[in-house]
Amino acid sequence: NISDRKQAEIALQELNQELEAKVAQRTATLQRQEAQLRNLSSRLELAVKSAQIGIWDWDIPNNHMVWDDRMCELYGIATADFPGNVQIWEDRLHPNDIAYAKDVLQQALAGERVFDPEFRIVLPNGTVRTIKAYALLQRNPQGQPLRMTGINYDISDRRLAEETLQKTNLELMRATRLKDEFLANMSHELRTPLNAILGMTEGLQEEVFGPINEAQRKALQTIERSSNHLLELINDILDLAKIEAGQVELHCAPTSIGPLCRSSLSFVKQQALKKQLELNLQVPQHLPDLLIDERRIRQVLINLLNNAVKFTPEGGSITLAVTLDSLSASSRHTTTPRANLNPVHHVSFAVIDTGIGIAPDDLERLFQPFIQVDSALNRQYQGTGLGLSLVKRIVEMHDGTVDVHSTVGVGSRFSFTLPCSEYVGPLPLATSPAAMPISIDAIDADNSAVPSSQLILLVEDNEANILTVSGYLKAKGYRLIVANNGQEAIALAQSEHPDLILMDIQMPGMDGFEAMRRIRQNPVIGDVPMIALTALAMSGDRDRCLAAGANDYIAKPIKLKQLAATIQQFLSS
């Protein structure tokens, strides 16, 4: 009976078939993996070649190195001439990098850090290259280094680009610093002579130096107008430069809209009267206060009003209109409000004139700096082309927008809109019931009654300014003593005990900042009021003067009436 044997043979046959299937399956898997490895190796080889990476291996106990072709190429050595040890690497190191590179290698062998230095090498032809290296370290069970395998690649171009960028940045920083210094110096140098011109003109018109006839008065008015025009041009250039340099900070406070509009209109009243222009003001009642930098927004209004006066023919009209409107939901989401401002409304200011108008093709160029629509050699209207550019920049700093509509021969409407904080109550009427002509009367301070006993110390090194200020204040009844620098100011303040000090800042020897600090530290004269009179009118100059000890700050060119009013305010308090 061979049944058992037959069954065993059948089972063995089935087992052999199963084993053959598994072997075939395993063989196919190995073949696929081998193909994948070959493909991966090809890709890796392609990547290494594309990246121009050199590969090296170092048998540390036997000091035997293997470099691939790219490594030999990087170090400028033929593959057949490679000595097979680490000495060739050391020989190629730049003299200034030898100590650093060897130190990194020793730290890596000691297990203190990864080997990943950047160093320079010098090729046989004298070419210097910058190399980035990286390596992995194998150790025996006792922790001793056995093998180091790594890569090298050339980063000379990247390092050159970084050095070029760094050099460019340094040059830009230097250029910015020089520009700031130039602007500050230009501001001082231009304002100083203008201070004497405007001050002397003002004093002569007030007849503090003696009587003048009508022809002389007209001549002085011409000088004053030309000097003020020059001052406006200087201020426009400096303001735009400061805004573009990010040196202008807004000093926002709740501001009443009505007084702001009326004070802005007062600046153009005289020019409007000469051209027989009608000035209209439309401001609804019960408007909320605006959280703005009042001085800057007044500057915007005056710029727009000046343009309206300039480009409106005689007998025309100019209207300043204010409206309060609700912001749409979409506008609220797209607006980026300033801190502590919840803009659910906006206030719109519009300057509307019956002037010459602007062609549609010229509208897009209006707000670009240094560009004037009337740019021909025979142009009628003066200006730098900066006013509207300043308007746009200042309004945008307040998160507002600027708009213009104009028709040639009919007139223009320049408007700007500012976000308004939460306003509770019904919206005021968009306009007044009727646009009424307004009359804005300037109120001059009465500086006639000045006790003769009050002594003022004028600290100033410019002779023209000394003559202007001292002559005006003496005519007003003050006694004057003069110091030409900080040291003289301190000495005279200690010996004469003036009632008030007018302090210039930029002077030879000790400047005004140091003089004010030392006067404040003196217990005898430390309480004397000090007013800084300076041509320093850049961002932060006012704060620097106040920090040094000044009670007030007036930028040159000064208005002598304003100076006299400020002096009387301090001396009467």
Side-chain angles (χ1 to χ4, degrees):
N1 187 357
I2 60 173
S3 300
D4 292 341
R5 190 181 69 183
K6 283 292 186 179
Q7 291 177 355
E9 290 175 353
I10 293 171
L12 181 60
Q13 186 178 5
E14 292 176 348
L15 180 60
N16 286 335
Q17 292 174 349
E18 183 178 352
L19 287 174
E20 288 176 357
K22 289 183 177 181
V23 168
Q25 183 180 6
R26 179 61 177 168
T27 300
T29 300
L30 290 174
Q31 288 174 346
R32 286 197 303 273
Q33 292 177 344
E34 184 179 358
Q36 290 174 351
L37 286 173
R38 284 198 301 269
N39 186 32
L40 181 61
S41 176
S42 299
R43 291 182 179 182
L44 180 60
E45 183 178 359
L46 178 61
V48 168
K49 287 183 178 179
S50 299
Q52 297 184 324
I53 296 174
I55 301 175
W56 54 272
D57 182 81
W58 182 25
D59 179 355
I60 298 173
N62 298 313
N63 191 23
H64 178 68
M65 294 198 81
V66 176
W67 284 10
D68 71 352
D69 292 342
R70 176 56 183 163
M71 277 292 295
C72 293
E73 181 184 351
L74 280 175
Y75 284 78
I77 184 172
T79 305
D81 296 334
F82 179 65
N85 56 53
V86 75
Q87 188 62 42
I88 185 64
W89 173 70
E90 295 180 359
D91 291 343
R92 288 287 192 269
L93 288 174
H94 190 283
N96 294 339
D97 293 352
I98 292 176
Y100 159 74
K102 286 186 175 182
D103 185 55
V104 173
L105 178 61
Q106 292 304 319
Q107 291 181 42
L109 293 175
E112 297 174 0
R113 62 166 293 172
V114 175
F115 185 74
D116 60 348
E118 292 182 9
F119 51 84
R120 289 168 296 173
I121 60 173
V122 181
L123 302 186
N125 62 5
T127 301
V128 177
R129 287 177 174 170
T130 303
I131 300 296
K132 174 65 179 177
Y134 185 81
L136 296 176
L137 185 65
Q138 298 178 12
R139 298 181 182 276
N140 62 18
Q142 290 74 36
Q144 297 174 329
L146 289 179
R147 182 178 297 275
M148 185 177 279
T149 303
I151 60 172
N152 276 193
Y153 53 96
D154 192 341
I155 61 169
S156 301
D157 292 341
R158 189 187 76 186
R159 177 55 60 86
L160 178 62
E162 291 173 352
E163 292 175 352
T164 302
L165 179 61
Q166 184 179 13
K167 182 180 179 181
T168 302
N169 288 337
L170 290 174
E171 290 176 352
L172 286 174
M173 292 172 61
R174 178 176 177 272
T176 301
R177 187 182 70 255
L178 290 176
K179 184 185 76 172
D180 292 343
E181 292 174 356
F182 169 75
L183 287 174
N185 185 61
M186 185 175 71
S187 172
H188 180 269
E189 294 303 319
L190 292 176
R191 288 172 185 273
T192 297
L194 269 178
N195 181 67
I197 295 170
L198 285 169
M200 194 67 76
T201 303
E202 186 179 359
L204 288 169
Q205 290 184 87
E206 290 189 26
E207 299 187 351
V208 297
F209 304 112
I212 59 174
N213 58 41
E214 188 60 28
Q216 291 169 335
R217 189 179 305 279
K218 289 181 179 180
L220 290 170
Q221 290 172 352
T222 301
I223 295 173
E224 184 179 35
R225 284 195 302 271
S226 299
S227 300
N228 280 322
H229 179 63
L230 178 58
L231 178 60
E232 289 173 4
L233 302 184
I234 294 169
N235 287 338
D236 281 352
I237 294 171
L238 294 177
D239 277 347
L240 185 64
K242 288 188 285 187
I243 290 175
E244 288 184 340
Q247 296 177 341
V248 173
E249 294 183 3
L250 298 181
H251 301 283
C252 296
T255 303
S256 179
I257 296 175
L260 170 64
C261 293
R262 286 189 290 272
S263 65
S264 300
L265 278 168
S266 69
F267 277 86
V268 299
K269 186 189 72 169
Q270 294 301 323
Q271 300 96 302
L273 288 174
K274 290 176 183 177
K275 298 182 69 173
Q276 298 179 346
L277 301 179
E278 182 181 280
L279 292 180
N280 300 307
L281 177 62
Q282 297 176 3
V283 179
Q285 295 182 346
H286 310 300
L287 284 174
D289 287 350
L290 280 179
L291 187 61
I292 57 174
D293 187 322
E294 182 177 357
R295 185 173 71 90
R296 290 297 177 183
I297 295 301
R298 182 181 289 108
Q299 183 180 4
V300 168
L301 288 170
I302 292 172
N303 259 313
L304 295 179
L305 289 167
N306 270 330
N307 276 354
V309 172
K310 182 191 300 184
F311 296 108
T312 300
E314 290 189 3
S317 67
I318 296 169
T319 300
L320 173 56
V322 181
T323 57
L324 175 67
D325 301 300
S326 295
L327 284 176
S328 64
S330 60
S331 297
R332 295 184 201 176
H333 291 301
T334 56
T335 302
T336 304
R338 285 167 282 134
N340 303 320
L341 190 64
N342 180 22
V344 296
H345 298 85
H346 63 242
V347 173
S348 294
F349 298 79
V351 175
I352 308 159
D353 64 58
T354 58
I356 61 176
I358 305 165
D361 293 342
D362 293 326
L363 288 175
E364 294 183 359
R365 301 188 297 148
L366 279 179
F367 297 98
Q368 298 178 25
F370 304 105
I371 291 181
Q372 293 174 292
V373 173
D374 179 30
S375 58
L377 291 176
N378 62 344
R379 61 191 180 93
Q380 294 178 263
Y381 307 101
Q382 296 177 329
T384 59
L386 294 175
L388 290 178
S389 177
L390 281 170
V391 164
K392 188 173 187 293
R393 303 290 178 89
I394 293 172
V395 170
E396 289 177 347
M397 288 176 69
H398 284 81
D399 304 322
T401 57
V402 181
D403 195 17
V404 58
H405 297 280
S406 186
T407 303
V408 175
V410 176
S412 303
R413 182 184 189 276
F414 284 85
S415 62
F416 64 95
T417 299
L418 301 177
C420 180
S421 58
E422 188 75 39
Y423 175 68
V424 180
L427 291 178
L429 293 175
T431 59
S432 300
M436 299 297 295
I438 62 170
S439 174
I440 305 169
D441 295 322
I443 301 175
D444 296 329
D446 181 11
N447 300 314
S448 57
V450 178
S452 60
S453 61
Q454 291 175 315
L455 178 64
I456 295 176
L457 168 58
L458 173 61
V459 188
E460 173 66 68
D461 65 319
N462 184 276
E463 287 298 325
N465 287 335
I466 292 172
L467 290 173
T468 302
V469 176
S470 63
Y472 185 87
L473 293 180
K474 285 178 181 177
K476 292 295 182 181
Y478 292 104
R479 293 184 297 127
L480 265 292
I481 53 175
V482 178
N484 295 122
N485 55 54
Q487 291 95 332
E488 291 182 15
I490 296 172
L492 282 175
Q494 290 175 331
S495 63
E496 302 298 328
H497 298 283
D499 297 290
L500 183 138
I501 298 175
L502 301 177
M503 181 71 72
D504 188 25
I505 299 301
Q506 289 183 292
M507 297 178 293
M510 184 187 297
D511 62 30
F513 290 128
E514 182 63 23
M516 287 192 292
R517 281 191 287 266
R518 294 196 183 184
I519 289 173
R520 286 289 180 241
Q521 294 168 0
N522 189 308
V524 178
I525 56 174
D527 294 332
V528 62
M530 289 190 289
I531 302 174
L533 300 182
T534 175
L536 293 175
M538 300 298 285
S539 176
D541 286 333
R542 175 185 178 86
D543 294 336
R544 291 171 63 198
C545 290
L546 297 180
N551 298 91
D552 203 349
Y553 162 95
I554 300 178
K556 295 177 181 177
I558 60 177
K559 293 291 185 180
L560 294 177
K561 289 183 181 179
Q562 176 194 357
L563 175 61
T566 304
I567 291 173
Q568 187 174 358
Q569 178 184 352
F570 277 106
L571 294 182
S572 62
S573 60

